[in-house]
Amino acid sequence: MSIKNKLTNIHNNRIKNNYRNIVLEIRSKQLELKDKSDEDLKILFKNAIENGKIENDGFYDKETVITTFTIGTIVIERKLGLALYDVQLMGSLALYYGNIAEMKTGEGKTVTSVLPILIQATRGQVHVCTVNEYLCERDQKLNEPVYSFFDYKSTFNKQTDKKEVKQKNYHADIIYATASTFGFDYLNDNMVMRAEDRINQKPRHFALIDEADLILIDEARTPLIIGSPFENSTHEILLVDNWVKNLKENDDFTKDMKNKSVSLTEKGEEKLAKLSNKDLYSEENVFLLHLVYQSLIANFVYIKDVDYTIIKENHQKKVVIIDSYTGRIQADRRFTQGLHQALEAKHSKEGVKIAEETKTIATITLQRFFKLYSKLAGMTGTGHEERDELMSVYGLNVIEIETNKPMRREEKPVVIYLNKKAKWENVANKIEEYNKLGYPILVGTVSVEDSEEFANYLKEKKLKFKLLNAKQDKNEAEIIEKAGKKGSITIATNMAGRGTDIKTEDPEIPLVVFITEINESSRIDNQLKGRTSRQGARGIIETHLSGDDSIFIKTKTSGTFKLISQSPLTNAKQIQRLCYSIQEELEGLMSSSRQSALKFDDVINEQRSRFYHSRDKVLDATSSKEFEPFAESMGISKNKIIKSVENHSEEAKINILRQAFLLSMDINWVKHIDSLDTLKSAIGWRAQSGHNPTIIYQNEASELYNDLLRDIKNSLNELLDRLIKGNEFEFKNAYKGGK
């Protein structure tokens, strides 16, 4: 263990010892207050909040925390019928004080979150993020009796709710929604043309994130994008797809599965020149070259039922993304930069239609969005693996909370086979043995393709099972909940039903979890392992791998593992060491990729903050005079502003100037985002000259921002000139917003 980790552990142990002492004081006060009436408890809680002192770190003083937590604990037991364990109270304290509370599966994270949410709601609005809308609605309904007892309103904010419904939702004290819903609401609020059209009128005080590692690490890089449709040539996309399908791997191009990239060989460039009869490297054909690379990735790197799948919706086949971390289908998202259209072209002969591409008009990463909150906390079953990144990026410390009861989990030695066929056959045989004992079984696979392939082996044995391909809906949670029933067999993609506990009917009958391929992150494997041995119940973990598993092929270690599988001297520790080294390498690459993306995002984040701040000033202006200094800062004279609206009432002046300013700003902001996207997509190629891509991006993005300011000034000047001449112009959004 490194010195840094030792110091972190010492620090965290001190924090936990402090929490234990606070829990003892809460238990003592609980005995004192347990017989108080509901009305008395409400009065005591209100008095504690009103008289509580706020310390320099922004939290209530210790006495206020003890009193409010004690009253909340009593109310939770009365309203929900749940007596909090000491470890749950420790988890609640960790969350209240702005940490990531790492609590194992089945330790009751949902009810653990109630106290910090409640106490934080006394000082500002609380946003609670869960992994899907079913869990949002479930948790909000479950915890509502406690919040309403103290006269705090909670609500579930659905992504598809209308503006009027959302505005009502954001008047609540506590709002449950998915991370993307909160993010999209923020983006939409920065596109409105009137202040009263904003969805959220309150500051972002505190966000509590369930499955924090998934949202803050795995999904953090994926930008939330609001797009406007624009026409792209379907003919060109299909033409390029046809050219690319004539290319041969290794001869015409090489691919890197680890980084999901391709490179054309000299021979491939010559073949493309003949097929297209064009110089694809000329300036006029640079867009076609971009389509070629996206088509190569779509046809030869991205794999159906692993990276994406095809579903039927409204009698129309469509390509949908499969989340690589959760195995869930993301029907509301599209790959960017033309990759999604390239995949649609790949499957066009199967009846898939090429949909319109979209132009980005507003975007933010979850990484950036959550840094907008004054306070942040999170819960997860696996956080310590990423604690350095969670601290460096978000300032969040990971506090590992002990389990309420000792773990009774038996982890069998890792077994490796020559190929997948041998692996599936042996796993099916093991399942048959466990099934005869009545043990419930959960089989984890890394892809939809693998889950369906393995299902056929169980069909041959006439074993009944549930196949879960992890669609984001209520069925997912229901299937996972029943996975603990005696004799049940469930096959699921990684982390399906994350956030839902598997309860066995008898703690002495173990839930058997099969890991059939290691993931790129050991944290995902640990999530699957955490499904078993809930609340001290027995659990068994079986890990079965094969030399041609995708992770070994991707890292070019397949041959090594196939040799190991045939060696009589092979032992589990040797296999585990090799698996660990592969995962460590891939985790390092993913971390580096996230850090690199963060540096690029720093630039647009700074520009977005400046732009949105200026936009808010325009939106919130209450006098026509407020527009004068803003215009002068852009080099537009004060007299021009006055003259453009001189024949109107004050109210009309404000409305006309607001619309003119916002229209000028928004049209050019959309163009600016598009320019930044183009710059970012091209920066990799230009970096091959040996220059630092981050420096190139920073310098050129700065120049583009200066161009943006110039273009806003020119657009505004033009509109003001038209107003002065008495020419009316129609005020409207220059773009179509949408999720």
Side-chain angles (χ1 to χ4, degrees):
M1 184 184 291
S2 67
I3 294 174
K4 181 182 176 182
N5 286 341
K6 284 180 181 178
L7 291 173
T8 300
N9 288 341
I10 291 168
H11 174 69
N12 285 354
N13 285 333
R14 284 176 185 159
I15 291 173
K16 286 193 281 188
N17 285 334
N18 182 42
Y19 292 167
R20 287 188 189 97
N21 291 332
I22 294 175
V23 169
L24 289 174
E25 293 188 61
I26 290 171
R27 292 305 188 199
S28 176
K29 202 167 189 70
Q30 201 174 341
L31 293 172
E32 179 189 328
L33 301 179
K34 68 183 179 68
D35 295 325
K36 294 284 186 183
S37 67
D38 285 359
E39 278 307 309
D40 285 343
L41 290 176
K42 286 181 184 179
I43 293 168
L44 286 169
F45 185 87
K46 186 179 179 183
N47 289 341
I49 293 301
E50 288 178 352
N51 299 321
K53 296 175 184 175
I54 304 300
E55 307 283 10
N56 291 335
D57 56 5
F59 299 102
Y60 285 114
D61 63 282
K62 183 180 173 182
E63 190 55 44
T64 304
V65 170
I66 290 167
T67 301
T68 53
F69 267 60
T70 301
I71 295 168
T73 301
I74 295 168
V75 173
I76 286 171
E77 189 163 3
R78 289 183 188 180
K79 295 297 177 182
L80 305 183
L82 298 169
L84 292 180
Y85 307 128
D86 286 358
V87 290
Q88 287 176 308
L89 280 172
M90 286 183 66
S92 296
L93 289 164
L95 292 171
Y96 172 70
Y97 286 113
N99 300 289
I100 301 285
E102 179 177 287
M103 299 175 70
K104 302 305 178 190
T105 302
E107 291 295 296
K109 289 193 285 291
T110 301
V111 72
T112 297
S113 70
V114 174
L115 290 174
I117 289 168
L118 176 66
I119 313 307
Q120 287 289 358
T122 65
R123 301 200 57 221
Q125 193 176 74
V126 174
H127 293 176
V128 188
C129 307
T130 63
V131 294
N132 61 47
E133 292 200 327
Y134 165 70
L135 293 174
C136 288
E137 189 172 21
R138 183 200 71 178
D139 292 355
Q140 185 267 325
K141 285 180 178 176
L142 176 70
N143 298 331
E144 168 62 23
V146 178
Y147 305 139
S148 60
F149 177 90
F150 294 100
D151 297 323
Y152 289 96
K153 179 173 172 51
S154 71
T155 188
F156 162 49
N157 177 32
K158 199 172 182 181
Q159 186 158 319
T160 54
D161 281 342
K162 301 292 185 188
K163 181 187 79 175
E164 295 74 21
V165 176
K166 282 184 173 290
Q167 285 177 325
K168 187 178 177 182
N169 288 341
Y170 275 94
H171 277 101
D173 304 291
I174 300 157
I175 306 169
Y176 283 78
T178 62
S180 60
T181 297
F182 283 123
F184 280 128
D185 288 347
Y186 165 76
L187 290 176
N188 278 310
D189 274 352
N190 282 286
M191 292 165 57
V192 298
M193 300 298 281
R194 300 183 305 166
E196 58 266 33
D197 288 334
R198 286 191 185 115
I199 293 167
N200 181 21
Q201 304 282 349
K202 296 183 179 181
R204 279 169 291 280
H205 166 62
F206 177 70
L208 192 148
I209 305 167
D210 193 12
E211 306 300 350
D213 59 320
L214 174 66
I215 293 172
L216 296 180
I217 299 293
D218 300 332
E219 294 186 354
R221 277 184 59 207
T222 306
L224 302 177
I225 295 172
I226 293 179
S228 176
F230 77 96
E231 283 193 19
N232 221 351
S233 172
T234 300
H235 170 71
E236 284 183 334
I237 293 166
L238 288 170
L239 192 63
V240 168
D241 180 70
N242 188 48
W243 298 341
V244 164
K245 282 186 165 79
N246 283 286
L247 300 181
K248 292 180 180 177
E249 188 179 343
N250 297 325
D251 284 345
D252 302 320
F253 68 91
T254 58
K255 65 182 182 183
D256 180 352
M257 294 299 289
K258 189 192 296 185
N259 295 302
K260 289 189 180 295
S261 62
V262 291
S263 296
L264 283 167
T265 63
E266 196 172 318
K267 187 177 176 183
E269 290 173 357
E270 290 171 1
K271 187 181 279 190
L272 273 173
K274 287 180 183 177
L275 287 166
S276 65
N277 198 27
K278 294 177 188 292
D279 177 8
L280 294 177
Y281 288 88
S282 66
E283 190 174 336
E284 63 192 80
N285 291 321
V286 69
F287 178 66
L288 278 176
L289 183 63
H290 172 73
L291 291 183
V292 165
Y293 275 96
Q294 295 298 64
S295 186
L296 278 166
I297 292 168
N299 277 283
F300 300 105
V301 176
Y302 276 61
I303 304 166
K304 183 174 176 261
D305 291 333
V306 176
D307 302 297
Y308 69 95
T309 192
I310 296 172
I311 64 169
K312 209 164 189 177
E313 191 176 87
N314 299 324
H315 309 291
Q316 174 66 52
K317 287 183 178 180
K318 62 181 287 191
V319 170
V320 293
I321 298 171
I322 295 175
D323 187 289
S324 60
Y325 294 101
T326 65
R328 289 192 179 99
I329 286 172
Q330 298 182 311
D332 59 337
R333 289 188 180 180
R334 286 176 64 82
F335 292 114
T336 57
Q337 301 291 323
L339 177 58
H340 212 97
Q341 288 184 309
L343 288 166
E344 289 164 340
K346 175 182 177 180
H347 296 283
S348 59
K349 290 181 180 177
E350 300 165 36
V352 175
K353 184 183 176 184
I354 298 177
E356 278 186 322
E357 190 59 279
T358 58
K359 184 187 287 288
T360 300
I361 59 175
T363 180
I364 193 169
T365 60
L366 289 175
Q367 208 170 41
R368 285 298 172 194
F369 174 68
F370 281 111
K371 292 179 84 168
L372 296 172
Y373 286 83
S374 300
K375 288 184 170 57
L376 201 60
M379 307 181 291
T380 182
T382 48
H384 68 275
E385 296 95 333
E386 305 290 354
R387 65 185 182 184
D388 289 345
E389 189 168 340
L390 288 165
M391 174 55 78
S392 64
V393 176
Y394 302 98
L396 292 169
N397 189 20
V398 177
I399 305 291
E400 295 175 58
I401 307 296
E402 290 77 14
T403 56
N404 183 48
K405 293 180 180 178
M407 297 282 282
R408 290 200 295 158
R409 182 188 295 167
E410 180 188 0
E411 190 161 350
K412 304 275 188 179
V414 178
V415 183
I416 189 162
Y417 304 93
L418 185 63
N419 52 48
K420 275 191 177 183
K421 184 176 184 295
K423 176 178 72 174
W424 294 140
E425 286 174 350
N426 280 278
V427 171
N429 290 336
K430 293 286 290 185
I431 286 174
E432 191 173 34
E433 292 173 18
Y434 284 125
N435 185 250
K436 286 175 182 175
L437 298 172
Y439 293 0
I441 297 159
L442 175 66
V443 184
T445 64
V446 297
S447 67
V448 174
E449 181 183 43
D450 277 357
S451 67
E452 291 178 345
E453 183 182 336
F454 179 61
N456 293 325
Y457 284 83
L458 296 188
K459 283 176 185 175
E460 287 177 11
K461 290 184 172 292
K462 296 183 170 51
L463 291 171
K464 291 183 179 179
F465 61 89
K466 286 280 186 183
L467 177 61
L468 178 60
N469 283 343
K471 293 182 181 178
Q472 263 188 325
D473 56 20
K474 186 177 178 180
N475 292 338
E476 177 188 321
E478 287 178 346
I479 292 171
I480 286 294
E481 274 182 344
K482 294 173 183 174
K485 288 189 175 293
K486 189 177 179 180
S488 67
I489 302 171
T490 308
I491 307 171
T493 45
N494 288 328
M495 302 194 311
R498 188 169 179 171
T500 306
D501 287 345
I502 299 176
K503 300 174 186 177
T504 52
E505 294 175 322
D506 182 342
E508 294 306 316
I509 296 177
L511 170 66
V512 185
V513 169
F514 279 88
I515 295 173
T516 61
E517 181 169 344
I518 62 167
N519 287 273
E520 292 184 13
S521 170
S522 59
R523 182 165 40 84
I524 311 301
D525 294 336
N526 291 336
Q527 279 283 347
L528 188 56
K529 291 176 183 179
R531 288 295 185 186
T532 190
S533 194
R534 176 189 183 275
Q535 282 294 324
R538 282 184 64 205
I540 297 173
I541 296 167
E542 293 256 7
T543 303
H544 294 255
L545 312 174
S546 74
D548 54 9
D549 286 348
S550 60
I551 192 169
F552 303 139
I553 292 170
K554 185 183 290 187
T555 54
K556 298 180 180 177
T557 54
S558 180
T560 304
F561 274 80
K562 285 183 178 181
L563 283 172
I564 288 173
S565 68
Q566 298 174 75
S567 170
L569 300 175
T570 297
N571 61 62
K573 285 186 178 179
Q574 182 186 3
I575 296 169
Q576 284 179 321
R577 276 196 299 271
L578 282 165
C579 289
Y580 176 75
S581 65
I582 289 170
Q583 288 179 318
E584 193 175 42
E585 179 192 347
L586 291 173
E587 285 168 348
L589 285 171
M590 288 187 284
S591 180
S592 297
S593 177
R594 288 192 294 268
Q595 293 300 318
S596 175
L598 188 60
K599 288 176 183 175
F600 283 112
D601 200 39
D602 281 339
V603 177
I604 189 170
N605 181 63
E606 182 189 346
Q607 295 183 1
R608 179 175 49 235
S609 298
R610 286 159 64 187
F611 179 81
Y612 282 175
H613 177 69
S614 298
R615 199 180 190 283
D616 283 342
K617 285 173 69 176
V618 170
L619 207 59
D620 295 327
T622 56
S623 161
S624 59
K625 289 191 176 294
E626 291 178 47
F627 293 94
E628 293 170 11
F630 189 30
E632 286 181 319
S633 70
M634 292 192 293
I636 298 173
S637 71
K638 171 183 172 180
N639 289 336
K640 194 167 194 175
I641 294 291
I642 295 169
K643 195 173 180 182
S644 68
V645 289
E646 61 186 352
N647 296 321
H648 296 276
S649 67
E650 177 62 15
E651 185 181 353
K653 285 178 182 179
I654 295 168
N655 286 333
I656 291 169
L657 290 173
R658 179 185 294 126
Q659 297 270 356
F661 272 75
L662 291 179
L663 189 59
S664 303
M665 293 173 77
D666 290 350
I667 288 172
N668 291 293
W669 177 248
V670 171
K671 290 177 183 175
H672 179 64
I673 289 177
D674 191 46
S675 297
L676 287 175
D677 277 348
T678 303
L679 173 63
K680 195 172 180 180
S681 64
I683 211 77
W685 298 101
R686 296 175 57 195
Q688 290 180 4
S689 62
H691 294 93
N692 186 319
T694 307
I695 300 298
I696 296 173
Y697 185 75
Q698 287 172 342
N699 292 339
E700 298 202 12
S702 180
E703 289 176 19
L704 288 172
Y705 193 76
N706 290 332
D707 292 344
L708 166 68
L709 297 178
R710 181 202 63 213
D711 292 342
I712 291 172
K713 173 188 172 182
N714 292 340
S715 296
L716 183 58
N717 257 322
E718 185 183 335
L719 289 178
L720 294 175
D721 285 339
R722 290 173 66 182
L723 283 169
I724 290 168
K725 290 175 184 176
N727 294 332
E728 293 184 2
F729 61 93
E730 184 183 357
F731 290 115
K732 63 181 180 179
N733 279 325
Y735 48 78
K736 297 174 184 176
K739 295 175 189 173

